[in-house]
Amino acid sequence: MIVVIKKDQEKKQVQNLISWVEKLGLKVHLSEGENTTIIGLVGDTSKVDIDLIRTLDIVESVTRVQEPYKNANRKFHPADSIIDVNSCKFGGNHFQIIAGPCSIESEKQVIEVAMACKKAGATLLRGGAFKPRTSPYSFQGMGVDGLKLLKKAKAETGLPIVTEIMSEEHIDDFEGVDVMQVGARNMQNFDLLKRLGKLKTPILLKRGIAATIEEWLMSAEYIMSEGNPNVILCERGIRTYETYTRNTLDLSAIPVLKERTHLPVIVDPSHALGISRFVKPMSLASVGAGADGLMIEVHNDPAHALCDGAQSLRPEQFEDVVTSLRAMLPAVGKELN
Amino acid sequence: MIVVIKKDQEKKQVQNLISWVEKLGLKVHLSEGENTTIIGLVGDTSKVDIDLIRTLDIVESVTRVQEPYKNANRKFHPADSIIDVNSCKFGGNHFQIIAGPCSIESEKQVIEVAMACKKAGATLLRGGAFKPRTSPYSFQGMGVDGLKLLKKAKAETGLPIVTEIMSEEHIDDFEGVDVMQVGARNMQNFDLLKRLGKLKTPILLKRGIAATIEEWLMSAEYIMSEGNPNVILCERGIRTYETYTRNTLDLSAIPVLKERTHLPVIVDPSHALGISRFVKPMSLASVGAGADGLMIEVHNDPAHALCDGAQSLRPEQFEDVVTSLRAMLPAVGKELN
Amino acid sequence: MIVVIKKDQEKKQVQNLISWVEKLGLKVHLSEGENTTIIGLVGDTSKVDIDLIRTLDIVESVTRVQEPYKNANRKFHPADSIIDVNSCKFGGNHFQIIAGPCSIESEKQVIEVAMACKKAGATLLRGGAFKPRTSPYSFQGMGVDGLKLLKKAKAETGLPIVTEIMSEEHIDDFEGVDVMQVGARNMQNFDLLKRLGKLKTPILLKRGIAATIEEWLMSAEYIMSEGNPNVILCERGIRTYETYTRNTLDLSAIPVLKERTHLPVIVDPSHALGISRFVKPMSLASVGAGADGLMIEVHNDPAHALCDGAQSLRPEQFEDVVTSLRAMLPAVGKELN
Amino acid sequence: MIVVIKKDQEKKQVQNLISWVEKLGLKVHLSEGENTTIIGLVGDTSKVDIDLIRTLDIVESVTRVQEPYKNANRKFHPADSIIDVNSCKFGGNHFQIIAGPCSIESEKQVIEVAMACKKAGATLLRGGAFKPRTSPYSFQGMGVDGLKLLKKAKAETGLPIVTEIMSEEHIDDFEGVDVMQVGARNMQNFDLLKRLGKLKTPILLKRGIAATIEEWLMSAEYIMSEGNPNVILCERGIRTYETYTRNTLDLSAIPVLKERTHLPVIVDPSHALGISRFVKPMSLASVGAGADGLMIEVHNDPAHALCDGAQSLRPEQFEDVVTSLRAMLPAVGKELN
């Protein structure tokens, strides 16, 4: 960490800062120029509160040289992490497709969708039982009953299952769930993250709607620092000023993450744009950008669904996406499963 | 709600939509023009999932006429809500100043700061016991022990106390706390909001770092719809592209909120900018914009603090802010307490 | 356009609005419900100032049904526009690669880079002569002399040339330039756009750094409404809160644009992220998203360049990108040239 | 400028960088630690292209210690600049109110509004002759004829006049205009800025809709570095994700600017929010934040205007704002004129 001191500051103030830093166990390199005094902090600076230093009156600027994340940092773990979910591998040259309905509605629905997804090429099944909704008046999901139906679909199809957890109070009900998803709104629910860090179950950590890449990795760090190394990152669009799309899918984040962390990164194109006809191009774009997988919403019953064309794909549309994906994967050195 | 249908859609699809809407108990006005078909939905549209309709293939656009919040809506509650916290009133022509340290560190510290704040004009005391931190390696607060010290400071000074709750699991420890704060990162932790809605304790609901005003009001609605009408909104800066300030304090939100909701709105200028020397101008600006109060960080022990000038004000600086505030309040028709 | 009137407004005010709208040549559909009055405006609403109506006291909300752009609108021109630049075709199933140095520095440099780019597969040559720079103290480009060198490189290689124009005062010097580029900062320099609309030369219109897709199309409309139909759109990253990348490349914009406009859309991955090692993944992602081409910075002289690894690719790196691109193009139904 | 080199880089690459920097006339401090090499650049680093260095493969990070602006920098000009516009002073303890119609429509209109504004307390008159409009189909202003009418209003009332210039081609027509305004969309039209830098007329430089404070000051620097020191900054709202307001008025920018630059800063609350009933609270907030003036839209003819309540204030509403302003100014140590 490099701290630049403002011109003409009292020596005593500078010395206070140095003493405080040394008490944290860091070595200090002091370089005094005519106009500028620079303090280099050497050691494990992840403990240092950069915001605190930045707000000191004597400080001009602070630059972090070392990233504040350790377990998630590729520097200390150069090889890709391969996360194994019932033999579905995330990371390296593997590619996974998680598919299924947004919400679990009935046994028939979830099993039929699961079968259709499997047939079309999905390697894991998703389905929402606990649904985070902006409005208290919207459907909040089937809850524990939904989890049971999802587990039936797993038994039926053999597909590992992925579903969202919203509160540490529900953790026992998630026994048998293969991947526990933390939604965008809970990315900084630190009590929940710490609790999940005590498990070994793989955690799918969605990016907060306005989270920086660094904050996202720090949330992964919360889970990993408690002992659970199995974190899969999921880009799902960020909030920008643009209104023609619900969110802006930040595919630039993928090569950036690939450089900074060894964790696998997948993309959820269904939620990012909120419009089913954009799922295919953004799925192919994700492959090009280097993603390790996709999470796609599929429903199977257009006759009873509200109308054709909600955010979800019909199975045949999903199959078309999978076919195009397969054709592109060799160009980026990946293969499905 | 106004739904505009795309040109040349199948009648059957349009009819499906109408039937579905009618099942939700809404009346439908259908207006078919040469080029455009418009469907007006009349009734309680807060149950309708606007995102779902927006993504239908046959739909061109959807406009909500009625806001999705009810309890928080000024239309149904034209007078300002006055929320009484041990005789400190929030709303109407009242103005409150909540002050105190960012974190509770020791009994001596919190009581001395509390006395200094009270003397300078603060009407409530704040102090952090549970601290949400981006990094798992940063100080996470004194927890339950911190709460005890804060309650001592309350006993000593008579000031009502405000402190943050991060998980529904801690709720019993908050007995005796006068205002429970929900931090920006938990603004959409819906399980926590629902739990707090079952209490009568006033809730200080901070705006999420990238929350729209509507989402913020919907989070207030989560609390209110469970039975707790005592919600105080707190603007604390939003995330933008600007980097010279930590966040952008959105004071435009105040007159907008005053029009849309009857709930009181206060401002936290300390966290928004992260720099103590900007607290005074932004406090005065908040008064001008029509805020019902302020929440300001104050510490009392610059000798042992890291250095002069962290994000917090010293008591004499805080007193200077209060003096200027008092001079401005009459111009906006408000008074301190 | 749908105008929703607030509850309980004076009839006279509503009538004023209707009269004013009718004077603009629009037909009005008035629908009065118990709680809501809705005014539908039918006809060419592109002349109506939506912001003006939105700010009226009696108005609750306004929804535009018809887009405000006409010439650029796919509704009125369903087939893809194919823009022919000296036989390089933009749009449809064609794919073009524009490559070359950021700035033109010398005859030797530009010709060598041009040859290397051509050899590696580039179909057009780019090079900056007039450089928009944030700082008045940065190199502002070689200006007219740079244009001359670029034309020599065109003569030498046969590649059509693309370069940026910053002011209508330079227009005569651009004789012989095949594509005139409008930079992000000038996307709403309306005097310049109108002047370029009087030419027939294809215009490469970069997206403003915080422009909405609609504003971008309206800037295309400025050019087209003056008589020049040859507009190529270029996505180059938008401004967000994220700091790990210079800008956020908005690839979601590509399928959105493909639906809304018939104009070709290309991507500039070099400027968006500002880091050469991210050019390859974002180029492949652009192909997946459906782009009609790419614009990539290439330099040829690493020995004399500042150091290896600036934002530009070396020719062999560029060749590697082209090779991977070619492998992916069939999957999206496109071919190079 | 502090350049941190990545671990384990070739000495030769580092030496290349150092040699290049030294050629720019800068001194270099090299500090080699076990894990990190740091290069400090001392001298006039405003010539150094920070983006170029940031993208080098060997570079971990770059921090600018010295701001890239010089003429606008308070460090080199500690006292407030006072800009005198026909005896109306901007800066220091002065406060100015610029008022008038959005667009000039007729002689009668502009003179009547001017008289009303003057009577209510305005100290300068504004009016748009050249109007930058997102749509080519919207009214583009009366142009040169509008300028003539504005000059008549100046002759009639004695108020100095402020109006927008959109292209360097119109500069001769602005003879007699007291303050030339550069709109948000042209903030980085560098050819225009350089041309205005050759005048002595005060320039009102609006912030670009997504400009950082630093970019804004660099645009001021473009004007000042050509010889015109008379720049007045005008905050007018920035683009964020929030949709309840047109833009987010960034009042935090005022104290930040006051620290960084000696130039006066005013606020335009009319355009920022786009809604007349929010003009008063945001005007008072601007005073609290420390602004040196306001620019407010006023129209005088509600009977013939479209309806009551457009974005502009009526004269009596404007007078009410001025009255409240006057009551607040002493609290911030300022006075009207």
Side-chain angles (χ1 to χ4, degrees), chain B residues 2 4-6 27 29 31-36 38 40 42 60-67 75 239-241 243 259-260, chain C residues 2 4-6 27 29 31-36 38 40 42 60-67 75 239-241 243 259-260:
Chain B
I2 311 294
V4 179
I5 302 298
K6 287 184 193 161
K27 275 199 211 156
H29 278 267
S31 146
E32 293 183 276
E34 275 160 280
N35 289 302
T36 321
I38 293 167
V42 182
E60 177 88 35
S61 67
V62 190
T63 309
R64 207 185 260 289
V65 177
Q66 200 186 349
E67 293 90 349
K75 278 190 190 154
R239 182 156 275 176
T240 68
Y241 63 84
T243 54
E259 196 169 87
R260 304 228 170 206
Chain C
I2 311 294
V4 179
I5 303 297
K6 286 184 192 160
K27 274 198 213 158
H29 278 267
S31 146
E32 293 183 276
E34 276 159 278
N35 289 301
T36 319
I38 293 167
V42 182
E60 177 87 35
S61 67
V62 189
T63 310
R64 206 185 261 291
V65 177
Q66 200 185 352
E67 293 91 349
K75 279 191 191 153
R239 182 156 275 177
T240 69
Y241 63 83
T243 54
E259 196 169 86
R260 304 228 170 207

Side-chain angles (χ1 to χ4, degrees), chain A residues 2 4 27 34 36 38 60-61 63-65 67 75 239-241 243, chain D residues 2 4 27 34 36 38 60-61 63-65 67 75 239-241 243:
Chain A
I2 310 294
V4 179
K27 276 200 211 157
E34 277 160 277
T36 320
I38 293 167
E60 177 88 35
S61 67
T63 309
R64 208 185 260 289
V65 177
E67 293 90 351
K75 278 190 190 154
R239 182 156 275 178
T240 68
Y241 63 83
T243 54
Chain D
I2 311 293
V4 179
K27 275 198 212 157
E34 276 159 278
T36 320
I38 293 167
E60 176 88 34
S61 67
T63 309
R64 206 185 260 290
V65 178
E67 293 90 350
K75 279 192 190 152
R239 182 156 275 176
T240 68
Y241 63 84
T243 53

